[in-house]
Amino acid sequence: MDHSLTSTIPTELLNCKSNLCEFDVICARGRITKEHIGNIRYRKMVLQYLPIYSALSTKSEKSMVVSRIINSVRERGDFVKYCGKTGNFEKVSERIAREKVGQRLRDMLHTQYKSSTQAKKMRRHAQKTSEDEQIRQVVRNNQQVKSIMSRAVSEMHDFNSDQDFDNIFTLANASILEEFKRSRSIDAVMH
């Protein structure tokens, strides 16, 4: 990911006269970008092209729609990012403009594209849920883990300071992690 697209735009710059045009599309994140009139127009424009784009099947046809959107923006403005060094907005490369338009189209059609932001979030959530369930199963089914947890709980009743608690907690966690590693290697050998 190009981190220069996520640059922070000082609010005072947008309130004063700058080289930012009302038809420019700011390539960044945040409320200022979202509320900029050029970005609002851009989102509406992409929405108008959405039915055409979603009906196309080839990459070259979709690329032509992306080009049309870029050309439409560039009739009166451009795709820009804020440059902290100069204090001005600068045009982004053709590649970045195409990435921005393509990502916006995929995000708006998130149910159809694996590369949309929403689809990626859903995959990460599903993976985390699966991993959490695997850990819960190991904790429920592994006698060694149960024993470590039981021992830690009984020792916690005897601690006198935060340091004692930290030591018990750290030792128990290290032992459980070692057991997880051991049981995963046994599972790998068994299956």
Side-chain angles (χ1 to χ4, degrees), residues 121-137:
K121 283 181 185 177
M122 289 171 31
R123 278 196 307 276
R124 283 192 297 268
H125 178 71
Q127 182 179 1
K128 183 176 181 342
T129 301
S130 172
E131 290 170 354
D132 289 349
E133 181 54 32
Q134 288 174 351
I135 290 171
R136 278 193 288 280
Q137 283 181 347

Side-chain angles (χ1 to χ4, degrees), residues 46-100:
V46 172
L47 193 58
Q48 290 173 341
Y49 279 97
L50 203 57
I52 299 166
Y53 185 86
S54 65
L56 299 174
S57 57
T58 69
K59 200 171 188 175
S60 62
E61 291 171 326
K62 291 181 179 190
S63 180
M64 288 172 46
V65 172
V66 169
S67 294
R68 275 195 235 156
I69 294 170
I70 291 171
N71 291 337
S72 293
V73 168
R74 288 184 173 158
E75 284 176 9
R76 298 178 80 185
D78 214 327
F79 291 87
V80 298
K81 68 176 180 178
Y82 178 72
C83 178
K85 289 181 182 177
T86 65
N88 288 315
F89 286 89
E90 298 177 353
K91 293 179 181 182
V92 299
S93 68
E94 179 73 14
R95 180 185 63 80
I96 291 174
R98 295 187 76 76
E99 282 178 15
K100 180 168 181 68

Side-chain angles (χ1 to χ4, degrees), residues 1-59:
M1 179 177 168
D2 186 351
H3 292 288
S4 64
L5 294 182
T6 60
S7 62
T8 306
I9 303 165
T11 308
E12 61 274 5
L13 179 64
L14 295 176
N15 294 333
C16 70
K17 293 183 178 179
S18 72
N19 67 327
L20 182 64
C21 163
E22 67 178 279
F23 296 99
D24 287 337
V25 176
I26 303 172
C27 298
R29 294 183 182 171
R31 182 184 56 81
I32 293 172
T33 300
K34 188 175 182 179
E35 294 174 359
H36 175 61
I37 189 70
N39 288 61
I40 293 169
R41 283 189 187 108
Y42 163 72
R43 288 193 300 274
K44 288 178 182 176
M45 182 189 310
V46 172
L47 193 58
Q48 290 173 341
Y49 279 97
L50 203 57
I52 299 166
Y53 185 86
S54 65
L56 299 174
S57 57
T58 69
K59 200 171 188 175

